[in-house]
Each structure stands twice: as structure tokens, then as C-alpha cells.
Amino acid sequence: MLALRLVGAYLRAQPLRVLLAVLGIALGVATVVAIFTLDANTVAARLEARAGDEVRADLQATLSATAGKPDPESRAALVALPGVARVGTAGFTQAEARAAGASGPKAALELIGISGAVEAFGAFDLSAGGSWGETWSAPPRALPPLLVSEELARERGWGLGTVLELEAPPVSLDPVRRCEDGRWVEERSAGAAVARARPPAVVFEIAGLLRRFRLGARAAGRVAIAPLEEAARVRGVPALDRVIWIQRRAGVDLAELRAAVRAALPNAAVDSAVTAAIGEEPDERAFRNGVRVAGVLALVLGLFVIFHALSIALLQRMRTIAILIALGLTRGAIARLFLLEATLIAGVGAALGALLGLLLAKGLLVSGLTTLGVVEGGVQLFVVPWRQVLTLALLGFALALAGAAHPLWRSRSWSPDLILRTRDLPAGRGVFERVDLFFAAVLLVCIPLVYFFTIEVIGRDAERVLVVFLGGLAAFALILASLHLAPGLLGALIRLALWPARRILPLEAELVSRSMSGLFGRVVVGVGGLALVAAALVALRGMTDSLRGEVRAFADAALRAKLFVTLVPRDEQDPRSIADFRDRPLEGEWLRTWCAAQPEVVGYELASLRLDAPFPIRALPPEQARWGLLAERADLRERFADPRQPGLLISRRLAAFEPELLRRGTIALPARTRSGAIEVRVLGVCDDYGIFQTERSFGVIAPEFFRLFQCMDPEQISAFTLKLRSGAEAAAVVQRLESELGARFGVRWKTGEEKLAFELADIDRDFFLFDVILALVAILAGLGLLHSLWIAALERLREIAILKAVGFTPGQVRVLFGLEALTTGALGGIFGVLLGVPLLWLVIRGLRALSGLDLPFVLPWTWMAVAALLSALLGLAAGLLPAWRASRLEPAPQLRGE
Amino acid sequence: MSDQEAPALRVRGLYKFQRERSREVAILKDISFELPRGRFLAIMGPSGSGKTTLLHLLGGLETPSAGAVEIDGKDLAGLGERKRALLRREAVGFVFQFFHLVPNLSVRENVALPLRIRGQSGRSVVERVDALLAQFGLVAQADLLPPQLSGGEMQRVGVARAVIGEPKLLLADEPTGNLATGQGEEVLRWLRRLHAEHGQSIVLVTHNPRDAAYADEVRFLVDGALLAEPRLTGADVDAAKIHACLRDLKI
């Protein structure tokens, strides 16, 4: 009871200081809770938007019926890859079914052939018949098993054990044909007729009823699942077009696995599945981890403030402690008393912070800010990641509590006798040095452990994120340590920062210099916090400047003086116009002739010929390549144009992500030939040709490849890119194009400069979240400094009274504190800029490796100046309230001697 | 009456009330007196009689509940805190019982503080400070910080600081209260010399008859009221007579 009364009395007597302490914890916890909640909801919202009826896989590979190896070999090759946990295959075809021996109409259905661990991907649930794995591994059956949808079975009166006959529909799919030398030819086996006759029916036994399936929304619920080989037998072909799903092992890097799968299945189109890979692309992961690092740093700063606040509070009450000891209270009881107080403050702060954090996350989501960029219209979903929220709130609570432990431990050495004898209390410098070192130790041990406990950092990410994270923490700790280990350094910096003020306000500057040099701990709190904010601003803006610089460099090669044209039906609502557009696209000859007649046009690329496996590939007529690498290198152009041995140019980003492409010098591209693939030469790297809105990993190849091996007609054009001469008026070219084609087509166009502007704006939009986090961290730093200056005012009451007694005006007192706040801010800015430069270097280095982009490292001089200035202004703002309070001090009570 | 002729201090009907719990208590009641220029007045009273409050009101550190204070003909009434500070800067010097030196400033800097607050700097300030340090025997301690000084030294610094600006009025609040007897006497001799040699107008509040004996005039403050009688002046100002007055007043 006594403890509660004493604690309650203190909390009531110091409401503002208690409020500041609670706010410090709350803001730190709120920021980090908001960020982790935001991230969880970002992923969940994308999953919800994209999952639908999709299977839960990490990667999917699409293979045509004849491409590459047969299914068992493909699956075996994939399972053998170290990062693969399970593989499942599904092939799709149509069929008709009827009970064996029955007459009457057959049921049309979609027949899906499966092999491997498809059920484990959540592809379907059975309502009867046991699991597919049990069915498949059961003793050999007389008839192959079949799973049928409940709806179909109910409709036809089928059940478990019903024997069905399945056969291909009478009108088959497109005949099996191959592209040979640019012409479609039908497949012929030796001595057999053209496969137009219906293959014989295959008999199955229903072994299970499907309650739910995610293997396609087609067929309106009329679905049957059979072993893959049997489904192909129904179709009468050796193999079906198929999809292979791949689940990775925990901790495996998605991009690395994708590259390995592409190497194992060279004829497959391999990409991330729509479900499990949300936010797992390297650049997305870098962005998300960057946001989370920023959040944890905010928590660190909030706790830094609290550590000092609790230490200062304890120092302020040394006399109280001494009196309590003199009255007979044991040190243990006193420790429990202060721990109770710290528990109350930390508990309220952490709880309030968790609540504020959830509210903040909700607000950010509704406004469209996510950890994967801006979402138009906002995000309505809201789930609470309780494990992470509670962990972070508990972390904030525990570390705040630890902040009380250190001064309590130090107070063991205080002598109550000495304290009660003297009027003045010992200065706090020694205590604060050790507080900072204690805090730094807690920082370096606890924060990384908890951080990596609350997120999944996998593969190559772990090392890079750890480097950046610990680099930032180490630099922060270095600032604290250097300021304590080299007090002369801080003193010199203070005098330097005050030098301009000495010219105008010599007395005030001298008093501030003495005050700041005398109380290190307090100054370090303020400087350290603001330095962190300034460093984060420099690093963030330097990073966005670097990204913008890289985009500009890319744009200089890929976008400059280009006009991107897409043709659409003249009337997109008119079926005849649509049909006309489909049947009579633009002729290649027309485009060649027209471009040759335009003085502004240097050449063109074809955007309507496309291949998306193993990466996006577009067509470039060699004779049109009158700019860039092919214009400079006649030998390369010759090899590029060789129709028998096509050559491929790849983008810089693709070369960075898959360096073995250049090392091997060749790559197998899927083709509609008998072999299913064509090996092409990788000739070189450049970004001069081909641009895709969001994809930077791509290749360009001559149109002959598409004609010869894909049987695509390069003379039928619906989209193209014009390369213009430098300084040419794009609008004039468009006007002429529209006047020529306007009667037949709608013409949509964009200049390269417009695309560049969009990309640059995209960067700013996506990184706006960091600006929000930075603003929160700045508030925290300002709060810490405000608290520190408030304490300073309380510690110097007598000094202020003396100055007023000898003639200091209230305005001069305000100037004193304002000058100290401004100087602290300026010092924070200087340290922050010094810290921000190596931090930026670390971040750029990490981003380069993660993204494969050639990010330039350029010092953001303007932002360095802005960071220093903002830090000074933030310091000044934080000093306003303490200055005002100090100026209103009544000197008389402090000067009484009776 | 022109400023040249105005007394150093004029007090009329001064009241100071203080709220304690739910009622108002009169700390000072209807204080009125004048201090001619060059006069040394000692105001005696027991602890809690309102001596320090009176001194703070005279120096403009607090505002009265009623009444007026004029320093060198300038009325403090109605002045805001800033103007009172400016007036105090030019016209008042304080000597405190607990010295109240700025702990971060050296002896030299503490003494120079009032001049620097006025905006003065340079050679003239240095010379004035050096002269005072010599006068008060503080040359050897010039660069020391207050915690490094003895009580007597600190109070000499306090007196030097109070007089460096040549104030119209010097207010001393129990200047010997924290000093040993010998040190206290030394400080009082300094005050006396300032008064005798420089015509400094001084108001000293004390409860010590020995200290009051250094003044030209002694008055008594009892329960917040300045007694009209007894009032000692001239040759009557000695320790024995002061003791006798205190006995008669039963304080």
C-alpha cells in the first residue's frame, strides 16, 4: 500500500513528465506495431485479391504437351533440386462420361490429369472416398481411379464404385501440329492416319467425390480428376499441356529457386505462382524489410528516450530515496517501489502504443499506403497479426522496464548521509555514460534477436538485411560511445556550433556552452535522437535519388526519343470493328514504307510478337536497328539477324540476375517444333531495345525466330515502338500516324519521356510510406529532446532565478533554452549527416545485390543540407515549451534563504 | 521631485498576501518607509516575519498584492516582468544568504555578469572587473569556479557582483547567514565600506543584531508589519541596544 501511495503521489505530482515518458514508449511501440500490421495486411490483401480459386504454390511451370521431358522425368528433376519441398502436376483436357453399359446422353466435363503431390497444394477436398494419396497408394486396382465432383455425381446418380467410360469429345481441340520452317504441319506418326479419329474410351472406377477443387473455374462444377497418364490416354495423346506446381522448402530464396527450376525445365514458362509469393520478389522483399527496419529503429529511439527519462527521474529523487532509507525502508523495498512505477509507466505506454499502432495501420491502409507501394482506393481488409503485435508490445514493455533497472543498480552506491547533508545533488554525468553503454549493449543483443524472430528473412536476404541493420545500430552506438569517450570532441563541437551565436548573443552563447558541456548525458540523448532522424533522411533520400538516377540511366538507353504505339479497334464497342481489327491488323510492309518516309523516324521495334518464357522476349527487325548496340557493332547485327542460329540480346537486369546466361552463351527457348525448344545464342547485354512497364528482365530477338519456330506472322502488327531522332517532335509524328491510320484503327501512344515520368513518380509514391515513418521517428526524437530540455529547465531553476535576479529578462531566458535546443538540433544534424552517408552506402550496396540494378552512389548534397537544417529546426521546436516554461519561472521561491 | 532628489527607495502601503489552503494569509501588511540616498537601513525580524519577501518586493522579484515601490523615483507598480528586469539590471544589486553564484561561471565571469547582461563588453568591463577583484581580495581566485571557493569568498564574489553595476540600491538578504563569524564580519565590513566610501544605499535584512549594528538605522519587522517604534538611528545603533529592543519586542 505504501508503495502504491508513494508511486501515486509522484505520478500525480509530475503529470507532464509522466505523460512524456508514456508518450515516448507509446510512440515507439505504435510505430513498429503499425508497420508490422501494415505489412501483414498488405500481404493478406494481395492474397485475397489474387487467391480466388488458385492453388497454393510458390512457383508454377507451364509446359506444352510435347515440350521437354515426360512428366515423371520432369518431376524427378525438380524434386532433386535442393530447395524443392514438393511437386505436383496437372494436365487439362475435355471428355465425355457415361456409366459403363448405360445408354443415354453423355456428360461433358473437364478432365484433369494429376500426378505428384497435387492434393498437398490444396487443389481439392474429397467428401467421400478418402484421400487421393491413399487411393493412389492402395493395392493395384482393376480399373484406374477417378474423382468426380459431387454436383455431377448427384446429377447423374453416380457414387463410389460406379464404373464410367470416358472418351474425348467428338470435336477435338486444335489438331496436334508443329511449326516447321514457319509453317504449321500436322503431326503424323509412322504409318498412322491423321489423328482425327476418336480414341477409344477408357474405363474408370469412381474412387472419390470432390467437395471442392481449385483446379480451374471452368466447366461450372463438372470436373473429374484422373491419373495424368490415364487422362492423356482418354485424349489419345502421349501427353497433355500441363502445369507443374512447386513448393519450396522453408528459408529458400524464391528468385534462386526460380532460376534453378528454369535450368531444370528449359522449355517451361516458369514464374511465381499467384498465391504464396506475395511480396517475395527480391525488390519487394527489400522494400518490405526496409520498412520493417525503419519501424524497429523507431522503437529503438522511443526506448532510448525512456531509458534516459527513467534514469533522470530516479536522479531527481535521490533525496527522496535518502529520506526513505533514513526512515527505515530497505533498498529492496525502494527497488520494488521504483520498479512498480516503471511497470505502470511502461505497461500503460506499451498498451497505448499497441492500440495507437493498430489505429495508425488502419488509417494508412484506408489511405492506400502499403508496404508494397500505394494502392489506389485504399485497402479495406484489416487483420491483426497478434503474434507480432504482442511480441513487439512486450518487447517495448520489457526494454522500458530494463531502463529502470540500470539506475536502480547504480543507486546502490549512493550514500544517504551525504545526500541529506548537502543542498546540491551530484551531477549526473557518470550515470548517463553508463546508461548509454548499457542501452547500447541491450540494443545490439536484444533487438536483432527479436527482429529476426518476428519476421521471416530468408536466403540471401538474411545476410544483407543483417549487414544493413547491424550497420545502422553499430553506427548509432558509435555516436553514443564517441560522445562519451571523447568529451572534448563534444565540447569542441558545441563551441563550434555556437560560434555564429557568439557574434550576436555572446553572453547567452557562453552560458549555453557551459551548460551543455557540463551535462553530457542529457545532450547525448537529444543529439543522438536527432542524429538518427537526420541519418535516416539522408539514407532514404539518397536511396530514392539513386533509384531515380538508375531509372534515368536506364531511360536514357531504353526510353529516350521513343514513341510507344498500340493499335486498338476503331470502335471498341462495335463487334464488327473488333472483328475487323482481329482479322486485318496492320501490315508490316505498310509500317516499313511509312517509317522510311518519316524524317524523324530512325527505326522501329515490334511489340506484338511476344514470348513470355523463360522471360519476356520481344522482336526487333535487324534492319531497323539503326541505333544502339546493333548499330555500333555490325558483327553483332549480323549474328543477331542469322535466321538459322538466332541471337538474343538480354537486358542488364536479366544479366545481373542470371549471369550464367552470359557465361554459357546460349539458352534454350520454347518452340512449337517437334523438339519443343530451340537453342539460341546470347550475344550481349544492352537496354537500348525493348521496354516493358514493370519488367526490367527481358530479351530481344529477330522476328524470324517467331516466324520460323513459333509460326507467328511478323507482318501482322498491333503494337510497335518508333525510335525518333534526337530533338524530334513526337506530337508531329503521332499526328501524321493518326491521319494515316485513323480510318482503320484507334491509335494509343505514349512517349518515352512520359513513361519515364511515370516511373519516377512511382518511386516517390512507393517510398511515401518511408516519409510517414520518418515523420513519426522525428516526432519521437523531438519528444526526447523536449523531455531532456524540460529536465534541464528543472535542474537549472536556481540558475535561472539568479540570472533573473541580476537582470535577465524572460525573453533572454527563452533565448537561452532556444539556443540550447537549436544547438542540439544542429549537432544532431551534423552527426546525422555523417552517419547517413555510410548508412546510405550500405543500403545501396544491399539494394544492388538484391535487385540486380546498377544503382549509382551519389551523395545527396541537397538532402544532407536539408537534413541538418530540419534537425536544427526540430530541435528548436522541441525547445519552445521548455523555454516558455523557464521564462515564466518565479525567481523568488528559488532564492529564499529563510 | 526630480530623479536627482528622489530617495533611493520609497515604499507606500505595501501588502503581500499568500494563499495557504483555502485562505489568504498576509505576509506583509501596510509597509511604508523611505530610504534616503546613501542611507544604510537594517530591517530586523525573526524567521518567518517576511523579511525575504519584503526584500524581493523591493527588488521587483515579486509583485505586491497592494501598494507601491519606487526605486530612484521609478515606480515598479504596473511594470511587467520584462521592464522590472530591465530596471533591476540598472538600479538594483542583490546579495543573497546562499550566495547564488552561477556554478558554471568563474569568479571573474560571475562578477562581470551584470555588465554583460547590460550588453557591455571589451576592455572597460575587464578593467572594472579587475578593479573590483582587487578591491575585494579575489585576484587569486579569479579563475576558480564557485564550488572551489570558501563561503566567505563566495559571498565576497556575491557582493562584488552586486555592486559592479553601481546600482542605486543594494539589497542584502541575510548575507552572513551561511558564514562563520569571522567571514560574516568581513562581508559586513565590505558593505560598510561601500556605504561609507561610495555612498551606497543599502537595505539589509537580518535576524542578527551584530549584523544590524553596521547600519545607520535599524527597524523591526514583526508579523509582517514594519514597526514605527522602536526605531534606532545614529549612535543608538549598536548591538546592545538592538538586543534590548529585541527583548522588549519579545522576538
Side-chain angles (χ1 to χ4, degrees), chain B residues 206-222:
Chain B
T206 184
H207 67 277
N208 188 330
R210 188 202 65 227
D211 292 356
Y214 281 84
D216 298 331
E217 180 181 350
V218 180
R219 295 189 69 172
F220 297 90
L221 186 68
V222 178

Side-chain angles (χ1 to χ4, degrees), chain A residues 514 804 807 812 896-897, chain B residues 62 81 88-89 97 104 109:
Chain A
R514 299 296 178 90
K804 282 192 165 185
Q812 285 178 293
R896 287 188 183 284
Chain B
E62 292 186 56
E81 189 182 349
R88 193 161 54 242
R89 182 189 292 188
Q97 177 181 358
N104 292 339
E109 289 163 337

Side-chain angles (χ1 to χ4, degrees), chain B residues 68-237:
Chain B
V69 176
E70 284 180 24
I71 300 174
D72 196 36
K74 296 185 181 63
D75 192 353
L76 292 178
L79 291 184
E81 189 182 349
R82 182 174 180 275
K83 289 219 170 108
R84 281 187 281 126
L86 292 174
L87 180 59
R88 193 161 54 242
R89 182 189 292 188
E90 298 297 329
V92 179
F94 270 100
V95 181
F96 297 101
Q97 177 181 358
F98 290 100
F99 324 125
H100 290 327
L101 304 181
V102 180
N104 292 339
L105 301 181
S106 66
V107 165
R108 186 189 302 278
E109 289 163 337
N110 267 285
V111 171
L113 195 55
L115 296 184
R116 296 196 66 194
I117 288 175
R118 289 180 188 179
Q120 296 175 21
S121 61
R123 195 82 213 136
S124 61
V125 170
V126 171
E127 285 172 357
R128 178 86 180 116
V129 168
D130 286 345
L132 269 177
L133 291 177
Q135 186 177 345
F136 282 84
L138 292 168
V139 174
Q141 293 85 357
D143 295 318
L144 298 180
L145 295 175
Q148 297 170 293
L149 304 175
S150 70
E153 288 168 340
M154 281 200 278
Q155 196 59 292
R156 275 187 277 150
V157 174
V159 174
R161 181 184 67 187
V163 301
I164 191 168
E166 297 173 345
K168 299 290 186 292
L169 180 65
L170 182 67
L171 303 173
D173 182 7
E174 302 267 18
T176 65
N178 266 12
L179 299 176
T181 306
Q183 292 173 329
E185 285 178 357
E186 186 189 357
V187 168
L188 288 164
R189 281 197 291 276
W190 280 115
L191 289 179
R192 186 73 212 176
R193 193 184 300 175
L194 283 169
H195 164 64
E197 295 178 7
H198 301 282
Q200 180 70 60
S201 306
I202 303 174
V203 176
L204 166 74
V205 297
T206 184
H207 67 277
N208 188 330
R210 188 202 65 227
D211 292 356
Y214 281 84
D216 298 331
E217 180 181 350
V218 180
R219 295 189 69 172
F220 297 90
L221 186 68
V222 178
D223 292 333
L226 190 65
L227 303 179
E229 295 297 333
R231 186 174 170 171
L232 303 174
T233 58
D236 288 338
V237 177

